[in-house]
Amino acid sequence: MYTPALQNLRIVMVETSHPGNIGSAARAMKTMGIKDLRLVSPRKPYSQETWALASGANDIVEQAQIVRTLPEALADCQYVIGASARSERTLQWPQLDSHECGVCIAERLPAQNVALVFGRERTGLTNEELEHCNALTHIPMAFGYLSLNIAMAVQVLAYECAMAVRRPLPEPDEPEEALASADAMEGFYTHLEQSLVEARFLDPANPRLLMRRLRRLFGRSAVTVSEMNILRGMLAAFGGSKFRGRP
Protein backbone atom coordinates (compact mmCIF):
# COMPACT_ATOMS: atom_id res chain seq x y z
CA MET A 1 0.00 0.00 0.00
CA TYR A 2 2.84 2.37 0.84
CA THR A 3 5.82 2.99 -1.42
CA PRO A 4 9.05 1.80 0.28
CA ALA A 5 11.12 4.37 -1.61
CA LEU A 6 9.03 7.15 -0.04
CA GLN A 7 9.15 5.92 3.56
CA ASN A 8 11.64 8.63 4.54
CA LEU A 9 9.57 11.46 3.07
CA ARG A 10 7.77 13.59 5.64
CA ILE A 11 4.82 15.86 4.82
CA VAL A 12 4.75 18.76 7.28
CA MET A 13 1.75 21.09 7.60
CA VAL A 14 2.21 24.28 9.62
CA GLU A 15 -0.67 25.75 11.64
CA THR A 16 -3.38 24.35 9.41
CA SER A 17 -6.62 26.17 10.27
CA HIS A 18 -9.17 24.00 8.46
CA PRO A 19 -9.39 20.41 9.78
CA GLY A 20 -10.81 19.21 6.47
CA ASN A 21 -7.54 20.10 4.77
CA ILE A 22 -5.71 17.68 7.05
CA GLY A 23 -8.03 14.86 6.03
CA SER A 24 -7.76 15.76 2.33
CA ALA A 25 -3.96 15.95 2.57
CA ALA A 26 -3.86 12.52 4.22
CA ARG A 27 -5.96 11.12 1.38
CA ALA A 28 -3.62 12.70 -1.18
CA MET A 29 -0.61 11.19 0.58
CA LYS A 30 -2.09 7.70 0.72
CA THR A 31 -2.91 7.66 -3.01
CA MET A 32 0.80 8.25 -3.69
CA GLY A 33 2.13 5.81 -1.06
CA ILE A 34 3.33 8.37 1.52
CA LYS A 35 2.47 7.84 5.17
CA ASP A 36 4.50 10.21 7.41
CA LEU A 37 2.37 13.28 8.24
CA ARG A 38 3.52 15.87 10.78
CA LEU A 39 1.31 18.69 12.03
CA VAL A 40 2.76 21.84 13.58
CA SER A 41 0.31 23.50 16.00
CA PRO A 42 -2.86 22.80 14.00
CA ARG A 43 -5.82 24.82 15.19
CA LYS A 44 -8.15 21.82 15.22
CA PRO A 45 -6.54 18.60 13.96
CA TYR A 46 -9.55 16.34 14.33
CA SER A 47 -13.18 16.89 13.44
CA GLN A 48 -15.94 15.06 11.67
CA GLU A 49 -14.82 16.75 8.45
CA THR A 50 -11.24 15.49 8.94
CA TRP A 51 -12.37 11.87 8.92
CA ALA A 52 -14.90 12.39 6.13
CA LEU A 53 -12.35 13.95 3.77
CA ALA A 54 -9.63 11.45 4.71
CA SER A 55 -11.84 8.88 2.97
CA GLY A 56 -9.97 5.73 3.92
CA ALA A 57 -6.70 7.43 4.93
CA ASN A 58 -7.68 7.51 8.61
CA ASP A 59 -4.52 5.63 9.56
CA ILE A 60 -2.36 8.49 8.32
CA VAL A 61 -4.34 11.01 10.37
CA GLU A 62 -4.30 8.79 13.45
CA GLN A 63 -0.54 8.25 13.23
CA ALA A 64 0.31 11.88 12.44
CA GLN A 65 2.81 13.50 14.78
CA ILE A 66 1.55 16.72 16.35
CA VAL A 67 4.31 19.07 17.54
CA ARG A 68 4.51 22.67 18.74
CA THR A 69 7.26 24.03 16.50
CA LEU A 70 8.64 23.52 13.01
CA PRO A 71 12.15 22.57 14.27
CA GLU A 72 10.56 19.74 16.24
CA ALA A 73 8.90 18.42 13.10
CA LEU A 74 12.17 18.61 11.14
CA ALA A 75 14.54 17.33 13.83
CA ASP A 76 15.41 14.03 12.09
CA CYS A 77 15.51 15.42 8.52
CA GLN A 78 18.62 16.07 6.47
CA TYR A 79 16.97 18.04 3.66
CA VAL A 80 13.95 20.34 3.80
CA ILE A 81 11.93 21.84 0.94
CA GLY A 82 9.32 24.51 1.62
CA ALA A 83 6.29 25.02 -0.60
CA SER A 84 5.89 28.72 -1.33
CA ALA A 85 4.10 30.69 -4.03
CA ARG A 86 5.88 33.90 -3.04
CA SER A 87 9.00 35.27 -4.66
CA GLU A 88 11.57 35.75 -1.90
CA ARG A 89 13.46 38.87 -2.96
CA THR A 90 15.15 39.79 0.33
CA LEU A 91 17.26 36.66 0.36
CA GLN A 92 17.20 34.12 -2.43
CA TRP A 93 16.52 30.44 -1.83
CA PRO A 94 17.15 27.79 -4.49
CA GLN A 95 13.89 27.54 -6.46
CA LEU A 96 12.42 24.30 -7.82
CA ASP A 97 9.26 23.76 -9.80
CA SER A 98 7.10 20.78 -8.82
CA HIS A 99 8.77 18.39 -11.26
CA GLU A 100 12.28 19.44 -10.20
CA CYS A 101 11.17 19.04 -6.59
CA GLY A 102 10.18 15.42 -7.21
CA VAL A 103 13.51 14.66 -8.87
CA CYS A 104 15.45 16.40 -6.09
CA ILE A 105 13.67 14.34 -3.43
CA ALA A 106 14.05 11.07 -5.37
CA GLU A 107 17.81 11.65 -5.57
CA ARG A 108 18.01 11.90 -1.78
CA LEU A 109 15.67 9.05 -0.82
CA PRO A 110 15.97 6.64 0.86
CA ALA A 111 19.43 7.54 2.17
CA GLN A 112 18.21 10.82 3.67
CA ASN A 113 15.12 11.93 5.56
CA VAL A 114 13.45 14.63 3.50
CA ALA A 115 10.61 16.97 4.49
CA LEU A 116 8.12 18.83 2.33
CA VAL A 117 6.76 21.76 4.34
CA PHE A 118 3.40 23.42 3.64
CA GLY A 119 2.39 26.68 5.30
CA ARG A 120 -0.88 28.20 6.42
CA GLU A 121 -3.81 28.29 4.03
CA ARG A 122 -3.94 32.09 3.83
CA THR A 123 -0.39 33.28 4.48
CA GLY A 124 1.92 30.32 3.80
CA LEU A 125 5.28 30.12 5.55
CA THR A 126 6.95 33.03 7.33
CA ASN A 127 10.49 34.12 6.49
CA GLU A 128 11.62 32.69 9.82
CA GLU A 129 10.15 29.31 8.87
CA LEU A 130 11.72 29.47 5.42
CA GLU A 131 15.10 29.78 7.11
CA HIS A 132 14.77 26.11 8.06
CA CYS A 133 14.46 25.11 4.38
CA ASN A 134 17.26 24.15 2.01
CA ALA A 135 15.17 25.00 -1.05
CA LEU A 136 11.72 26.21 -2.07
CA THR A 137 9.29 24.68 -4.51
CA HIS A 138 6.32 26.06 -6.40
CA ILE A 139 3.65 24.60 -8.64
CA PRO A 140 3.43 26.37 -12.03
CA MET A 141 -0.10 27.72 -12.49
CA ALA A 142 -2.03 29.85 -14.94
CA PHE A 143 -0.87 33.46 -14.80
CA GLY A 144 -3.23 35.68 -12.86
CA TYR A 145 -4.83 32.91 -10.79
CA LEU A 146 -2.37 31.58 -8.25
CA SER A 147 -4.89 29.96 -5.94
CA LEU A 148 -4.44 26.31 -5.02
CA ASN A 149 -5.93 24.52 -2.03
CA ILE A 150 -3.25 23.19 0.32
CA ALA A 151 -4.44 19.59 -0.05
CA MET A 152 -4.28 19.99 -3.84
CA ALA A 153 -0.71 21.22 -3.49
CA VAL A 154 0.12 18.16 -1.38
CA GLN A 155 -1.41 15.96 -4.08
CA VAL A 156 0.58 17.54 -6.92
CA LEU A 157 3.93 17.39 -5.14
CA ALA A 158 3.26 13.90 -3.78
CA TYR A 159 2.53 12.76 -7.34
CA GLU A 160 5.79 14.26 -8.62
CA CYS A 161 7.71 12.47 -5.86
CA ALA A 162 5.97 9.16 -6.56
CA MET A 163 6.73 9.41 -10.28
CA ALA A 164 10.33 10.44 -9.70
CA VAL A 165 11.18 7.48 -7.46
CA ARG A 166 9.91 5.11 -10.16
CA ARG A 167 12.49 6.34 -12.64
CA PRO A 168 15.91 4.68 -12.55
CA LEU A 169 18.62 6.82 -10.99
CA PRO A 170 22.36 6.45 -11.65
CA GLU A 171 24.20 4.57 -8.95
CA PRO A 172 26.58 6.75 -6.90
CA ASP A 173 30.29 6.06 -7.37
CA GLU A 174 30.73 5.47 -3.66
CA PRO A 175 28.47 5.54 -0.59
CA GLU A 176 27.90 9.09 0.60
CA GLU A 177 28.36 10.08 4.22
CA ALA A 178 25.19 10.90 6.12
CA LEU A 179 24.25 14.57 6.26
CA ALA A 180 23.82 16.40 9.54
CA SER A 181 20.20 16.42 10.70
CA ALA A 182 18.08 19.57 10.95
CA ASP A 183 18.33 19.28 14.73
CA ALA A 184 22.14 19.23 14.56
CA MET A 185 22.11 22.20 12.16
CA GLU A 186 19.91 24.21 14.53
CA GLY A 187 22.32 23.49 17.37
CA PHE A 188 25.18 24.65 15.16
CA TYR A 189 23.40 27.89 14.18
CA THR A 190 22.74 28.69 17.84
CA HIS A 191 26.39 27.99 18.69
CA LEU A 192 27.57 30.05 15.70
CA GLU A 193 25.38 33.04 16.58
CA GLN A 194 26.56 33.08 20.19
CA SER A 195 30.20 32.82 19.08
CA LEU A 196 29.75 35.72 16.63
CA VAL A 197 28.13 37.83 19.33
CA GLU A 198 30.96 37.06 21.77
CA ALA A 199 33.50 37.98 19.08
CA ARG A 200 31.57 41.24 18.47
CA PHE A 201 31.21 40.34 14.81
CA LEU A 202 27.43 40.21 15.19
CA ASP A 203 25.51 42.95 16.95
CA PRO A 204 22.37 41.32 18.40
CA ALA A 205 20.70 44.74 18.50
CA ASN A 206 21.26 45.20 14.78
CA PRO A 207 21.63 41.71 13.26
CA ARG A 208 20.50 42.69 9.74
CA LEU A 209 20.44 39.56 7.58
CA LEU A 210 23.73 38.03 8.69
CA MET A 211 22.38 34.88 10.34
CA ARG A 212 19.87 34.34 7.57
CA ARG A 213 22.65 34.57 4.99
CA LEU A 214 24.83 32.19 6.99
CA ARG A 215 21.92 29.74 7.15
CA ARG A 216 21.65 29.89 3.38
CA LEU A 217 25.42 29.40 3.00
CA PHE A 218 25.59 26.30 5.18
CA GLY A 219 22.23 25.05 3.94
CA ARG A 220 23.60 24.92 0.39
CA SER A 221 26.74 23.15 1.56
CA ALA A 222 25.08 19.84 2.50
CA VAL A 223 27.09 19.55 5.73
CA THR A 224 27.89 15.96 6.71
CA VAL A 225 28.07 14.56 10.23
CA SER A 226 31.87 14.61 10.34
CA GLU A 227 31.97 18.14 8.89
CA MET A 228 29.53 19.25 11.57
CA ASN A 229 31.86 17.86 14.24
CA ILE A 230 34.69 19.90 12.71
CA LEU A 231 32.61 23.08 12.64
CA ARG A 232 31.48 22.69 16.23
CA GLY A 233 35.05 21.95 17.33
CA MET A 234 36.30 25.07 15.54
CA LEU A 235 33.70 27.27 17.25
CA ALA A 236 34.64 25.84 20.63
CA ALA A 237 38.34 26.47 19.94
CA PHE A 238 37.64 30.02 18.76
CA GLY A 239 36.08 30.94 22.07
CA GLY A 240 32.60 29.50 22.04
CA SER A 241 33.48 26.68 24.40
CA LYS A 242 31.12 28.09 27.04
CA PHE A 243 28.18 27.11 24.88
CA ARG A 244 26.37 23.98 26.02
CA GLY A 245 23.89 23.47 23.21
CA ARG A 246 23.05 20.34 21.25
CA PRO A 247 26.12 18.52 19.86
Side-chain angles (χ1 to χ4, degrees):
M1 183 176 296
Y2 295 108
T3 305
L6 295 174
Q7 65 179 350
N8 288 345
L9 176 60
R10 291 82 166 94
I11 301 296
V12 181
M13 301 176 71
V14 178
E15 293 186 4
T16 307
S17 61
H18 196 300
N21 284 332
I22 295 174
S24 295
R27 181 179 182 180
M29 291 170 59
K30 191 160 187 174
T31 62
M32 295 295 114
I34 303 168
K35 64 178 180 179
D36 194 330
L37 175 62
R38 303 184 179 190
L39 306 173
V40 179
S41 296
R43 292 189 181 179
K44 188 179 181 182
Y46 306 121
S47 75
Q48 185 175 354
E49 193 171 8
T50 307
W51 306 115
L53 292 177
S55 186
N58 293 16
D59 56 326
I60 291 181
V61 178
E62 292 168 352
Q63 296 169 20
Q65 295 184 36
I66 300 179
V67 297
R68 292 181 59 255
T69 67
L70 182 57
E72 289 179 74
L74 304 177
D76 65 340
C77 298
Q78 284 81 36
Y79 200 82
V80 180
I81 300 178
S84 176
R86 293 181 293 150
S87 175
E88 305 300 332
R89 298 180 180 178
T90 303
L91 191 65
Q92 192 66 40
W93 276 260
Q95 302 278 338
L96 306 169
D97 64 28
S98 52
H99 176 74
E100 293 169 333
C101 176
V103 173
C104 176
I105 289 175
E107 290 174 343
R108 287 168 169 76
L109 295 175
Q112 300 176 26
N113 295 333
V114 181
L116 261 174
V117 184
F118 297 84
R120 302 154 190 82
E121 290 94 333
R122 290 180 59 83
T123 59
L125 296 167
T126 66
N127 280 342
E128 289 72 20
E129 289 161 347
L130 291 175
E131 289 177 1
H132 297 283
C133 301
N134 300 96
L136 302 185
T137 186
H138 65 278
I139 299 171
M141 290 177 277
F143 180 75
Y145 191 68
L146 304 178
S147 178
L148 194 65
N149 176 274
I150 187 170
M152 296 178 182
V154 172
Q155 182 74 80
V156 172
L157 291 173
Y159 168 81
E160 292 289 359
C161 293
M163 292 300 99
V165 297
R166 295 182 182 181
R167 303 184 189 105
L169 294 172
E171 292 292 332
D173 295 334
E174 58 184 40
E176 297 182 359
E177 183 184 350
L179 297 182
S181 68
D183 191 52
M185 293 300 297
E186 286 303 310
F188 165 68
Y189 292 137
T190 302
H191 192 172
L192 176 62
E193 183 173 8
Q194 179 170 329
S195 297
L196 293 175
V197 170
E198 291 177 354
R200 298 184 180 180
F201 186 82
L202 172 64
D203 180 1
N206 187 28
R208 298 181 183 273
L209 296 176
L210 178 60
M211 285 308 301
R212 188 176 296 175
R213 293 184 185 279
L214 288 173
R215 280 177 172 269
R216 294 300 325 125
L217 188 157
F218 288 106
R220 290 194 304 268
S221 302
V223 179
T224 66
V225 172
S226 62
E227 290 169 343
M228 174 56 63
N229 291 335
I230 293 172
L231 289 170
R232 294 298 293 266
M234 287 172 56
L235 290 178
F238 290 159
S241 56
K242 297 179 181 178
F243 182 76
R244 293 294 182 269
R246 291 168 292 188

